[in-house]
Amino acid sequence: MTSFTDVSIDSIKFNNPKHHEIEELGHICSLKNGKKFTNIDLPELKVYSSGIYENNGLNYIDLLLGRSDKPLFLFMNNLDNHCLKSIHEKSNDWYGKEISIEILESYYINTIHNESNLPLLKIMIDDNSILRDADDNEITKNTLKKNMPVKVSIKINGLSIGDENIHLNLIANSIRTATRSKKIVSETPAETVEETETPVETVEVSVAETVEETETPVETVEETETPVETVEETET
């Protein structure tokens, strides 16, 4: 495994978009050197959603970043900035015209989103995601509950480009609970299970920090086009 702190964001390069077999993901720009980014270790985080949930036919889990997770917040923010820059540089090839970062940003969904002023990291769960407890026993999706501390390993699957939005597709390789057994769970005082870390402050850093106010999506819809499905060629 590679810690997220050891990942070189500038080394991430994207292939030309191709239609994904999962319709909800639209077109996917896979990574040219994808094997380097298939097993990224995240710090221990707490589950914020009510376990694994479904959205548009796909499974996800929301993880809460605490105050001590500011390095992860900054990493994901820098990763989003890198994605926007990469799309802008490739826009002539992908869209047939140059698209400004300002316009792209109006369609880009940040990797970390806010809910009730809490920073949340949304991770996709697929059929290959491994779910285990701290004793390495296999667990079911229903085992994961809100406020449960977990260790997650992710892979960067690529950029997902749809008709109405663009986002970085992150998939869980594995999710392991920090709970060693059911006996320990029953002996843990209830108040410690419900305790949640103070969230990291998100007002200090924004993907759009250096970008002027963008046009509304209604005014810029004509500026972007869904990548043509016939793009087959991969850049060297």
Side-chain angles (χ1 to χ4, degrees):
M1 289 187 183
T2 301
S3 171
F4 76 93
T5 57
D6 296 325
V7 173
S8 173
I9 292 177
D10 290 337
S11 68
I12 296 176
K13 308 294 181 184
F14 297 101
N15 289 313
N16 289 336
K18 292 184 178 181
H19 188 73
H20 198 275
E21 58 184 9
I22 300 177
E23 185 176 350
E24 289 78 8
L25 292 179
H27 290 73
I28 285 286
C29 303
S30 59
L31 275 63
K32 288 186 175 181
N33 46 352
K35 290 183 178 180
K36 293 174 59 178
F37 307 100
T38 57
N39 209 359
I40 301 173
D41 215 11
L42 303 183
E44 184 177 296
L45 301 170
K46 287 190 176 181
V47 177
Y48 180 81
S49 54
S50 298
I52 296 174
Y53 63 94
E54 184 177 319
N55 184 20
N56 293 326
L58 301 174
N59 291 320
Y60 296 94
I61 191 169
D62 291 337
L63 305 174
L64 176 67
L65 276 70
R67 187 175 296 278
S68 62
D69 298 313
K70 192 168 184 178
L72 177 60
F73 178 84
L74 295 175
F75 171 80
M76 291 298 177
N77 191 77
N78 291 335
L79 186 55
D80 286 333
N81 278 319
H82 176 75
C83 290
L84 283 169
K85 182 181 177 182
S86 298
I87 301 169
H88 169 66
E89 292 174 349
K90 294 285 189 178
S91 58
N92 271 319
D93 294 331
W94 293 359
Y95 295 98
K97 64 178 73 174
E98 182 175 318
I99 309 296
S100 68
I101 289 182
E102 289 86 353
I103 292 176
L104 289 171
E105 191 174 41
S106 67
Y107 290 91
Y108 190 86
I109 299 176
N110 292 343
T111 304
I112 292 179
H113 64 282
N114 289 333
E115 183 174 318
S116 302
N117 206 32
L118 298 175
L120 305 177
L121 178 61
K122 184 177 181 179
I123 303 295
M124 180 177 163
I125 312 294
D126 66 9
D127 293 338
N128 296 317
S129 299
I130 299 171
L131 307 179
R132 296 187 180 276
D133 63 16
D135 295 316
D136 208 33
N137 298 311
E138 187 175 348
I139 59 175
T140 65
K141 295 178 181 179
N142 294 333
T143 304
L144 300 173
K145 305 293 184 182
K146 187 178 179 69
N147 287 337
M148 181 177 285
V150 292
K151 286 283 292 180
V152 180
S153 168
I154 64 170
K155 68 176 177 180
I156 302 176
N157 192 44
L159 279 170
S160 175
I161 301 180
D163 293 333
E164 299 179 355
N165 62 66
I166 305 169
H167 67 274
L168 192 63
N169 185 227
L170 304 176
I171 300 179
N173 281 324
S174 65
I175 299 179
R176 295 179 184 272
T177 69
T179 303
R180 297 197 62 82
S181 69
K182 292 182 180 179
K183 182 178 179 181
I184 293 177
V185 172
S186 63
E187 293 174 353
T188 303
E191 56 267 28
T192 62
V193 174
E194 297 298 326
E195 186 179 30
T196 303
E197 282 191 73
T198 304
V200 64
E201 298 175 8
T202 62
V203 295
E204 298 179 5
V205 182
S206 170
V207 173
E209 241 180 56
T210 59
V211 179
E212 298 177 357
E213 184 176 357
T214 62
E215 301 176 50
T216 62
V218 175
E219 297 173 330
T220 60
V221 167
E222 295 182 1
E223 292 289 336
T224 62
E225 300 172 5
T226 304
V228 180
E229 292 186 20
T230 58
V231 178
E232 297 293 341
E233 187 175 330
T234 300
E235 292 195 12
T236 59

